[in-house]
Amino acid sequence: MMMGFIWVVIFLIIFGVLAYHRASLAIWTICFVLLLIFVTRFCGLTIATIFCWIVFLSFFTLLNLSVWRRRFISQYLLNFYRIVMPTMSRTERQAISAGTVTWEGDLFCGNPNWNKLLSQPSARLTEEEQAFLNGPVETLCKMINDWDITHNRLDLPPEVWNFIKENGFFALIIPKKYGGKQFSAYAHSQILIKVGSVSITAGSSIAVPNSLGPAELLLHYGTEEQKDYYLPRLAKGEEIPCFALTSPVAGSDAGAMTDYGIVCWNNYDGKKTLGIRLNFNKRYITLAPIATVIGLAFKLYDPEHILGSKEDIGITCALIPRNTPGIQIGRRHFPLNTAFQNGPIQGENIFIPIEWIIGGWEKAGKGWPMLMECLAAGRAISLPASAVANAKILSYAAGAYARIRKQFNMPIGRFEGIQESLARIAAYTYIMDSARTCTAAAIDAGEKPSIASAIVKYHVTEFGRKLACDGMDIHGGKGICLGPRNYLGRSYGATPIAITVEGANILTRNMIIFGQGVIRCHPYILSELEAARLQDPKAALIAFDNVMIKHIAFGMSNVVRSLILGLTSSFIVQAPKGRMKRYYQQATRFCSAFALISDVSMLVFGGSLKRKESISARLGDILSYLYLLSTVLKHYHDQGENIDDLPIVRYACLYCLFEMQERFDEIIKNFPNRWIAIILKVLIFPLGKGFAKPRDSITHKAAQLLLSPTESRQRLAAGSFISASSENVMADIQDALIKTIAAESIEKTIKTAKKDGCIMGYNMMEQAKSALDKSIITSAEFDIFVQAEEARNKVIAVDDFANEELIRTGR
């Protein structure tokens, strides 16, 4: 009896080791042959050992002989797979196939190689890019008066528009041979952050020509003739582009687009010309009111079969000059009281030559994959940069303001409620900056990370929305009174804009991050889908069998790994040494658990999983927080692992781990099959939930880093416009912070003297004068105190206006 128990234990140990390390089928077979030989040698040919040999030979022979395996296992699984696999529209298939898979694919594998991540090139600026930031970008920021732009003009002033055009701000992504800058994605992001930290209007106006639009589409898909004509003109600012995709009935659902074109012949410039008769109604188009060339997405039809046998050709993109007869353009939307140019475009019965299709008629019907390929990279740059710009300014200003501003006779930064907000600002800003920096580096390495870009766009803009509220909580009335002194109000009001564009955030979270991510990033799902769609039965079975056997082993491994890593709290995971080691280990544990729960969810729900949006969204959250945690660890490594930053980095890591834990728990609690839910809970949390929100001690330490002019605070704000300038409120805040800190000991002396009855006065200034008269403080100390008071009053002041001053002027 005891010997049998021992052999069972040995069996389980061998099984666990092989599954944990994802051994090949050959290794499994050899190991169990050796085990059975040893069992037979020590126990003899008993009924039990004979039974074990029979089971082993039957099972492993079936697995190792591919012909039998395909006939008796894979064929039935393939038939089942074809029943449950999701149906996908053409636009869905095109969206899924767009872009490339980067680190998020490693996370899906359940056992990421952290050294691979850390060895990837970090984001760097060239000398030319840094010079552009230090020169034209710095100058532009000093030229901008955002109050004048947003209140008086509702537009950039002419001199700013001219400076932007003349200095190549519209040419960041255009190659040098066409007169462009040919900057990296990281430089592109850095430029948008610096400009966006001063003005949302200016930042958005620069972002659009360098984002999803005519220039990028031309670069990747345009004919040489189109490139040679348009790109130099775009680079010089002679042409202002916009791109019209959204229509009243088709926002995130491009497949519902009603804008259409009919292939036909018509007279154009006195000649019979093959072209397209267009009818469209677009809205929410940034730069449309001032655009000179319009990128247009529409559905193309060929009822007369001029181009071929197909009538429904598909979504197509074309470039159309503004002065084309029939285009209605120029009116403006007014998105949340911001001043960037945005408006509708309509066209009725407009004829354009077929050569105006981007890439020529050969690209007809290929517009959607073209857009998705460009969006796969661009979605990680423009909108995240805008959110990071606001976060950086807030991290620089909020702590300083909390040190400067006093209530109840002490700085509000000493209140724990304020410290909670400050710690979130510091940690979220760090996460946001890490995510956009690491993803930009991947793009510069040649990737088009479609899923990573969706993660970054969604979470960075959502973090931005949360931080806007924290900033307002700290600043109170200072934040809500608009005027030249207000550095929060416009960004707070405009926060929802980034939430709604380039894929609404609800759609991105509920349907894209996991819905598309599981197909693109899972090591086997896409190959299985492709095999199941093959028309040749034999080829389909062979292809499916080759992937299926690996997928089964992968699933077994994740079951074992999840349980073992949960029981050992992941201490056995090999991870990079250093202060962050435990976070690498815990992330690995959750990677295995994520791979497990993803496979179980797909097995249980099948093709209906994409309609189980709450489950899918939570699975997407887990993938997202794994990615964000990875970028935090990578960013901390790339920045030299500054010890001073540890409170912020630890807060960020603990936050990500806690959020992952809660999403696992929510999925398990809402899983429809309760028996499977119980098993999942045992496998993923065998010792219970072990993660909590960051402790108060970490919160306090993180907040303190923003309450003083620390290097950590400076690193968080790096890249935003914080230069000393007469027009820059941030310079006033920094000046007041330094002077306030210098005067704190003097204030303490004055307060002590007042408490002891040594001086008189009804306010601090009168008390300071009394202290000076009685030689309690020196004249030098008095001057320091006065300078601090003047600087403090300048920062906490808010704007007020006569009624007539609030009437917009300058238009």
Side-chain angles (χ1 to χ4, degrees):
M1 189 72 177
M2 179 58 69
M3 185 59 67
F5 175 77
I6 292 173
W7 286 118
V8 170
V9 171
I10 293 173
F11 169 83
L12 292 175
I13 291 173
I14 294 174
F15 183 93
V17 170
L18 293 175
Y20 184 89
H21 291 287
R22 295 177 176 172
S24 66
L25 179 58
I27 299 297
W28 278 85
T29 305
I30 292 170
C31 288
F32 278 103
V33 165
L34 293 175
L35 175 62
L36 285 174
I37 289 173
F38 277 110
V39 171
T40 305
R41 172 69 178 81
F42 284 100
C43 299
L45 279 175
T46 65
I47 294 176
T49 55
I50 293 173
F51 176 77
C52 289
W53 275 107
I54 292 172
V55 171
F56 167 78
L57 291 172
S58 301
F59 185 68
F60 276 88
T61 300
L62 183 62
L63 288 178
N64 280 280
L65 294 179
S66 58
V67 175
W68 288 11
R69 185 179 68 234
R70 290 167 189 164
R71 179 179 179 183
F72 295 107
I73 299 177
S74 298
Q75 184 64 66
Y76 293 101
L77 290 176
L78 176 59
N79 295 339
F80 173 76
Y81 197 89
R82 282 171 167 164
I83 294 172
V84 301
M85 72 179 187
T87 57
M88 288 186 285
S89 66
R90 180 167 63 179
T91 54
E92 283 181 301
R93 291 195 301 272
Q94 291 171 340
I96 287 171
S97 63
T100 60
V101 177
T102 56
W103 179 248
E104 65 275 22
D106 293 68
L107 298 173
F108 244 108
C109 289
N111 186 24
N113 182 348
W114 296 107
N115 290 320
K116 173 187 173 182
L117 174 68
L118 298 182
S119 66
Q120 291 175 0
S122 58
R124 292 286 185 270
L125 295 172
T126 65
E127 291 184 7
E128 181 185 3
E129 292 167 345
Q130 188 63 62
F132 189 78
L133 278 160
N134 295 342
V137 178
E138 183 82 7
T139 301
L140 176 61
C141 290
K142 292 177 180 178
M143 292 174 65
I144 291 171
N145 181 332
D146 196 53
W147 176 250
D148 180 52
I149 291 168
T150 58
H151 181 72
N152 295 327
R153 298 177 181 273
L154 293 181
D155 193 8
L156 299 175
E159 62 272 18
V160 172
W161 276 118
N162 291 334
F163 186 87
I164 287 172
K165 295 175 184 177
E166 292 168 2
N167 286 272
F169 281 87
F170 286 170
L172 302 181
I173 65 172
I174 296 176
K176 293 180 184 295
K177 70 176 183 178
Y178 297 109
K181 299 293 184 184
Q182 199 172 342
F183 283 167
S184 64
Y186 181 59
H188 181 184
S189 177
Q190 290 292 95
I191 291 165
L192 294 181
I193 284 174
K194 193 161 190 175
V195 177
S197 67
V198 181
S199 169
I200 296 168
T201 301
S204 300
S205 300
I206 294 169
V208 169
N210 294 290
S211 183
L212 177 63
E216 188 169 15
L217 289 168
L218 283 169
L219 281 173
H220 295 292
Y221 308 107
T223 65
E224 291 305 314
E225 183 180 0
Q226 289 171 338
K227 292 177 184 179
D228 291 339
Y229 177 78
Y230 276 112
L231 290 178
R233 297 170 64 83
L234 290 168
K236 295 176 184 176
E238 295 174 2
E239 300 276 10
I240 297 179
C242 70
F243 190 81
L245 175 61
T246 305
S247 63
V249 297
S252 300
D253 180 14
M257 186 186 300
T258 57
D259 312 291
Y260 68 95
I262 304 295
V263 179
C264 62
W265 292 93
N266 195 51
N267 287 326
Y268 183 80
D269 285 346
K271 299 179 182 178
K272 184 180 180 181
T273 303
L274 179 62
I276 303 168
R277 183 75 61 185
L278 287 168
N279 289 276
F280 58 88
N281 180 16
K282 301 291 190 179
R283 64 180 182 181
Y284 309 150
I285 313 304
T286 299
L287 293 186
I290 61 170
T292 61
V293 59
I294 302 160
L296 182 72
F298 57 92
K299 287 184 175 179
L300 183 62
Y301 298 95
D302 185 14
E304 298 180 16
H305 303 289
I306 297 173
L307 299 180
S309 60
K310 200 173 181 180
E311 179 176 348
D312 182 358
I313 295 176
I315 295 175
T316 302
C317 299
L319 284 181
I320 306 173
R322 178 192 182 101
N323 58 8
T324 301
I327 288 183
Q328 301 173 41
I329 191 172
R331 293 185 64 81
R332 294 181 64 175
H333 299 310
F334 194 24
L336 289 175
N337 207 32
T338 54
F340 65 87
Q341 295 282 343
N342 185 280
I345 309 175
Q346 292 92 26
E348 185 175 354
N349 206 29
I350 295 172
F351 181 82
I352 65 169
I354 202 162
E355 290 80 11
W356 289 9
I357 293 176
I358 297 176
W361 68 269
E362 294 89 349
K363 294 295 184 183
K366 298 179 181 178
W368 189 243
M370 289 161 56
L371 292 172
M372 290 299 99
E373 284 285 339
C374 293
L375 192 61
R379 187 161 45 191
I381 299 175
S382 300
L383 293 173
S386 175
V388 170
N390 295 330
K392 284 180 172 288
I393 285 297
L394 185 57
S395 66
Y396 193 75
Y401 185 83
R403 185 81 175 256
I404 296 163
R405 176 67 167 154
K406 295 181 178 179
Q407 292 287 277
F408 303 102
N409 208 29
M410 67 178 184
I412 62 173
R414 292 185 185 176
F415 292 103
E416 291 186 353
I418 297 294
Q419 290 182 5
E420 287 180 6
S421 293
L422 289 174
R424 281 196 296 269
I425 290 171
Y428 291 0
T429 301
Y430 197 97
I431 296 172
M432 295 162 72
D433 201 25
S434 300
R436 69 97 194 175
T437 299
C438 294
T439 309
I443 295 170
D444 288 331
E447 302 288 352
K448 291 186 176 181
S450 56
I451 304 305
S453 67
I455 291 171
V456 173
K457 187 271 176 181
Y458 171 76
H459 283 278
V460 169
T461 56
E462 285 293 333
F463 278 133
R465 174 154 57 179
K466 295 173 183 176
L467 292 189
C469 294
D470 278 328
M472 281 294 181
D473 286 345
I474 292 170
H475 286 76
K478 169 73 176 177
I480 65 173
C481 292
L482 293 176
R485 292 185 178 95
N486 189 310
Y487 46 86
L488 293 182
R490 292 301 188 197
S491 60
Y492 175 84
T495 296
I497 295 174
I499 303 297
T500 63
V501 296
E502 291 188 4
N505 275 13
I506 291 178
L507 168 78
T508 302
R509 176 177 181 257
N510 285 35
M511 300 179 69
I512 293 178
I513 294 175
F514 184 80
Q516 294 182 8
V518 70
I519 297 176
R520 284 307 308 274
C521 303
H522 193 286
Y524 305 113
I525 292 296
L526 183 58
S527 298
E528 289 170 345
L529 285 171
E530 291 172 346
R533 291 196 176 99
L534 291 175
Q535 297 300 314
D536 184 343
K538 184 177 180 180
L541 180 58
I542 293 173
F544 184 80
D545 173 75
N546 291 336
V547 181
M548 179 274 303
I549 192 67
K550 297 176 183 177
H551 194 164
I552 292 175
F554 176 74
M556 289 171 52
S557 172
N558 289 320
V559 169
V560 173
R561 289 177 60 85
S562 297
L563 180 60
I564 292 175
L565 294 180
L567 290 171
T568 61
S569 192
S570 68
F571 276 103
I572 63 173
V573 173
Q574 292 185 347
K577 292 180 169 46
R579 296 179 180 87
M580 297 293 106
K581 181 177 181 179
R582 285 297 293 143
Y583 300 120
Y584 288 111
Q585 291 177 325
Q586 298 288 18
T588 299
R589 171 192 171 183
F590 277 156
C591 281
S592 293
F594 173 66
L596 168 64
I597 203 168
S598 296
D599 275 342
V600 172
S601 297
M602 288 185 287
L603 181 63
V604 171
F605 294 110
S608 66
L609 179 58
K610 71 176 185 179
R611 293 188 293 275
K612 300 293 183 180
E613 293 177 29
S614 296
I615 297 291
S616 180
R618 293 177 182 121
L619 289 167
D621 287 343
I622 297 169
L623 175 61
S624 296
Y625 283 115
L626 282 169
Y627 184 82
L628 295 175
L629 176 57
S630 300
T631 63
V632 167
L633 296 169
K634 166 72 170 166
H635 193 58
Y636 182 66
H637 174 269
D638 289 345
Q639 286 197 329
E641 299 187 354
N642 296 289
I643 296 176
D644 293 345
D645 295 346
L646 274 177
I648 297 173
V649 177
R650 283 177 172 154
Y651 188 113
C653 292
L654 290 170
Y655 169 80
C656 290
L657 289 169
F658 175 76
E659 291 297 320
M660 280 186 269
Q661 172 187 266
E662 295 306 291
R663 297 307 180 277
F664 275 117
D665 187 53
E666 290 168 6
I667 294 171
I668 292 169
K669 286 179 178 177
N670 290 279
F671 215 76
N673 188 311
R674 298 314 302 157
W675 287 108
I676 293 179
I678 292 170
I679 295 171
L680 284 172
K681 186 172 183 178
V682 171
L683 293 174
I684 296 173
F685 299 118
L687 302 179
K689 297 194 299 180
F691 295 96
K693 292 181 179 181
R695 298 188 306 274
D696 291 347
S697 59
I698 295 178
T699 297
H700 174 76
K701 290 176 182 177
Q704 292 303 312
L705 293 173
L706 297 191
L707 288 165
S708 300
T710 62
E711 290 297 320
S712 296
R713 172 173 169 266
Q714 201 71 24
R715 278 188 288 271
L716 281 177
S720 60
F721 183 61
I722 54 177
S723 306
S725 168
S726 58
E727 299 294 328
N728 192 0
V729 179
M730 292 300 108
D732 294 335
I733 290 174
Q734 181 73 351
D735 178 65
L737 174 62
I738 293 171
K739 289 177 177 176
T740 296
I741 293 172
E744 284 178 344
S745 61
I746 302 170
E747 290 185 22
K748 185 176 181 180
T749 300
I750 295 170
K751 290 177 181 178
T752 300
K754 172 63 175 174
K755 184 178 180 181
D756 294 341
C758 300
I759 58 175
M760 302 295 292
Y762 293 107
N763 56 49
M764 282 296 296
M765 186 58 70
E766 291 179 358
Q767 293 166 15
K769 290 177 180 178
S770 177
L772 176 64
D773 292 341
K774 296 187 178 183
S775 299
I776 295 174
I777 61 173
T778 66
S779 58
E781 290 175 327
F782 178 78
D783 290 342
I784 292 172
F785 172 81
V786 171
Q787 291 172 13
E789 282 295 295
E790 290 174 350
R792 178 186 293 118
N793 290 333
K794 185 177 182 181
V795 168
I796 67 174
V798 297
D799 298 285
D800 53 75
F801 308 90
N803 283 334
E804 56 271 19
E805 290 179 297
L806 290 174
I807 299 173
R808 288 189 165 110
T809 61
R811 285 178 287 163

